[in-house]
Amino acid sequence: MTKAKKIEVEKNVFARNDEIAKQNREYFDANNIFVVNLVSSPGSGKTTLLEVTLTELKERLDFFVIEGDLQTENDANRIRTTGVQAYQINTDGGCHLDSSMIQKALQYQKSCIKKNSVLFIENVGNLVCPSYFDLGEHKRVVVISVTEGDDKPIKYPNMFQSSDLCIINKIDLLEYVDFDIDRCVEYVKQVNSKLEIITLSTKTGENMGKWYEWIEKNQKSN
Amino acid sequence: MTKAKKIEVEKNVFARNDEIAKQNREYFDANNIFVVNLVSSPGSGKTTLLEVTLTELKERLDFFVIEGDLQTENDANRIRTTGVQAYQINTDGGCHLDSSMIQKALQYQKSCIKKNSVLFIENVGNLVCPSYFDLGEHKRVVVISVTEGDDKPIKYPNMFQSSDLCIINKIDLLEYVDFDIDRCVEYVKQVNSKLEIITLSTKTGENMGKWYEWIEKNQKSN
């Protein structure tokens, strides 16, 4: 395949994805569903972040979760133990969710995703490919943990450029690893000066309140 | 694009990649260069593993390193401080290295990569896409760290199925995180019963000797 042909194929894939993402967003807007797309490396703590968040906020807000993984129903099962409903998408080896997968999930789960609710989509753990695919979300949240090194924003810039909030997780481990928060924040600002940042620990609960405020503020203003 | 068309495009991409990977491997074999492709999530500690390994072994073996990243020359610069030569590939947003990128690197660096040496290729940090692309390596080594959670082998099975060795890194942090080594090993065996496993810490040096033995044993038998 020539390079020109490859670029044409990619353009078609992205154009089709954007078209369906727009339809998804129109549906979410019509039903006042605030949608957050959570992206990160594998193991940064997205599922644990959701477990804690849902447990703390489920009396105040209605939630639904869509989980994306190559294989297994593990993450959806973990979410269900909080009492919140979850739908598992298996990509069967695919490296990211796309808007058509979300569209299908909506068709199956329409009756379960309430009006005036918050929908979390936990993407496949991958700091590269999910950055190229709009799912129809309102906000994209990139999670990194302090065990991953503070240089991730400049090494994976697309993900940080396309996100609205960066959560720096596992700050309870800061004293055991070489991670400079100030340097990480500087790198974030280099690639995206508008990106909001919250440092927190799902384990100790430190700064979880700031994350909850962010959810409630953005859900209201959506 | 129809699904059939998409599958055809993918088939072409993989066939072309395999063809060039074969040429790379022939070149490596003809020059007795032992090639290891290091794959992992972002931040699992591949570069630090290389820094420590090269510093410890460079008097006994000749090395060269090819670094793959979306952006920056950071990792190649880190490698060069050990005194070992390194070549940086920037994929410009691409989620994995492929065999043609390695072929080009070989053309540029032929005079620097010695006969009877060890070539480490550090892939883009991504537990999905690099698993589908043979670079012409002799051994693929997947690195996970204990901060990522013990379920990674079953959630990202392709990577573990296609690898020869699994390094479980950062065992110095075991007491601060929820990671069950026995369960992780069981998951590894579920997806690939032949995968060798070494648990180690680049920080304390624990079990680094096992990794050095693995390199020397496989280099000789290659």
Side-chain angles (χ1 to χ4, degrees), chain A:
Chain A
M1 190 163 55
T2 63
K3 194 167 178 181
K5 178 76 185 154
K6 198 177 164 210
I7 290 170
E8 192 200 320
V9 168
E10 284 178 354
K11 265 191 184 166
N12 287 342
V13 169
F14 291 134
R16 177 84 184 127
N17 184 76
D18 285 349
E19 191 185 305
I20 298 174
K22 189 168 163 269
Q23 292 167 15
N24 291 346
R25 197 175 287 110
E26 282 166 1
Y27 175 79
F28 296 138
D29 288 341
N31 290 281
N32 194 30
I33 299 166
F34 174 53
V35 182
V36 178
N37 179 7
L38 282 167
V39 293
S40 80
S41 302
S44 66
K46 293 190 298 303
T47 317
T48 305
L49 178 72
L50 284 181
E51 286 174 306
V52 177
T53 303
L54 300 172
T55 303
E56 297 273 326
L57 298 190
K58 68 180 177 184
E59 303 302 326
R60 277 152 55 190
L61 293 168
D62 283 322
F63 290 103
F64 191 87
V65 177
I66 295 176
E67 286 288 339
D69 280 297
L70 277 70
Q71 300 284 346
T72 83
E73 182 100 3
N74 292 9
D75 285 357
N77 286 334
R78 284 175 60 187
I79 296 300
R80 288 173 192 134
T81 62
T82 68
V84 170
Q85 287 185 291
Y87 179 78
Q88 180 78 52
I89 296 174
N90 279 155
T91 61
D92 195 26
C95 52
H96 60 86
L97 295 176
D98 66 31
S99 56
S100 70
M101 297 175 190
I102 301 303
Q103 191 175 53
K104 266 187 213 145
L106 290 177
Q107 283 161 5
Y108 297 139
Q109 300 293 314
K110 209 161 254 183
S111 59
C112 303
I113 307 176
K114 295 180 187 164
K115 288 188 181 203
N116 313 311
S117 66
V118 177
L119 169 63
F120 284 116
I121 303 172
E122 184 180 341
N123 220 310
V124 174
N126 180 340
L127 265 190
V128 189
C129 314
S131 72
Y132 303 118
F133 291 84
D134 182 5
L135 305 180
E137 72 266 24
H138 298 107
K139 296 285 180 188
R140 187 174 293 180
V141 176
V142 57
V143 183
I144 57 170
S145 87
V146 302
T147 61
E148 294 170 34
D150 47 36
D151 59 349
K152 292 300 157 286
I154 52 170
K155 287 180 69 182
Y156 301 87
N158 300 320
M159 191 59 97
F160 291 82
Q161 276 155 7
S162 69
S163 292
D164 303 286
L165 170 68
C166 173
I167 289 180
I168 303 177
N169 190 17
K170 306 191 191 177
I171 56 172
D172 55 293
L173 295 176
L174 265 178
E175 61 184 298
Y176 310 114
V177 295
D178 297 322
F179 187 98
D180 184 330
I181 294 240
D182 291 340
R183 191 161 51 206
C184 186
V185 169
E186 197 181 294
Y187 286 150
V188 166
K189 295 298 174 193
Q190 262 179 43
V191 299
N192 182 355
S193 60
K194 290 179 186 163
L195 192 58
E196 291 184 74
I197 300 170
I198 297 174
T199 63
L200 58 78
S201 165
T202 54
K203 199 164 188 177
T204 65
E206 191 177 348
N207 290 346
M208 287 296 284
K210 291 185 183 175
W211 160 236
Y212 301 152
E213 277 170 30
W214 184 92
I215 296 169
E216 297 198 272
K217 182 185 76 188
N218 283 283
Q219 192 230 4
K220 274 181 201 148
S221 66
N222 188 46

